[in-house]
Structure formats: structure tokens, C-alpha cells
Amino acid sequence: MQICRVVGTVVSTNKTEKLSGMKLLLVRAIDLDSFKETGPLLVSVDTVGAGTGEVVMTVSGSSSRQTNATDGKPVDNSIVAIIDHIDVSGARIFDKAQVGGSE
């Protein structure tokens, strides 16, 4: 699992039938030490109603096909949770309520 921020959307009119109706979002991993975005952009299938700017949990590989929405679909990365807050060693490093869903 990876903590990421939703940074954009992907629109594809022509796609395989199995992806029809699925929302595709661009995510970038977050370094939990600095809470800055790091690494490449990834396309992720939204299974929880996430939006741009939100901090989310993603899964990849075969785990990304273990949701009701992605079972049997050609998916390699899925958003499986919208993060409310993150605590590390007793310190809160992220709180959605205090930042309105974006850092």
C-alpha cells in the first residue's frame, strides 16, 4: 500500500469495455518524512469517490483487482481509501479536517 495525493484526472472516451464507467485519477506518492509528493505520476482507478487534492491509499498489482469495482478488470493501481489523518510516532503529520483535504 502507498500513501498518495490525487493530482489530476484522466479522461478516455475509447477504452476496453471492462474499464467503462470507471473514474481514472492521476496520483503521486507522498514521502511521509517531508509530506511532499515524490516519484512518477500513476494512473489509478478510483473505487472510493476520491477527488483532486485528496490524500489517498493506493494498492498496486494483483491487490488492485481485489475490490468489488475492479474484480476481473485490467487494473494495476487502485485507490482504496481516502485518508482522514496520519499519525507517526505519536505526532499527527496529516489531518484532512485541518487542511481541507489538501496540503
Side-chain angles (χ1 to χ4, degrees):
M1 290 186 270
Q2 179 77 50
I3 303 295
C4 296
R5 184 180 311 278
V6 178
V7 296
T9 60
V10 175
V11 176
S12 174
T13 304
N14 296 315
K15 57 185 165 268
T16 183
E17 186 178 314
K18 287 190 173 188
L19 291 179
S20 183
M22 302 192 93
K23 184 165 80 169
L24 305 174
L25 297 175
L26 286 174
V27 298
R28 187 175 306 224
I30 292 176
D31 173 11
L32 292 179
D33 290 326
S34 66
F35 217 77
K36 294 187 187 282
E37 296 166 20
T38 183
L41 290 172
L42 300 172
V43 177
S44 190
V45 172
D46 180 26
T47 68
V48 294
T52 300
E54 290 194 286
V55 175
V56 297
M57 184 181 309
T58 66
V59 292
S60 60
S62 62
S63 295
S64 66
R65 295 180 293 279
Q66 300 300 312
T67 73
N68 289 337
T70 59
D71 186 36
K73 304 204 188 270
V75 173
D76 194 49
N77 196 288
S78 295
I79 297 169
V80 295
I82 299 170
I83 305 296
D84 294 319
H85 64 266
I86 300 171
D87 296 335
V88 176
S89 300
R92 182 141 303 169
I93 64 168
F94 171 77
D95 191 328
K96 181 178 179 177
Q98 291 183 351
V99 294
S102 63
E103 187 79 347

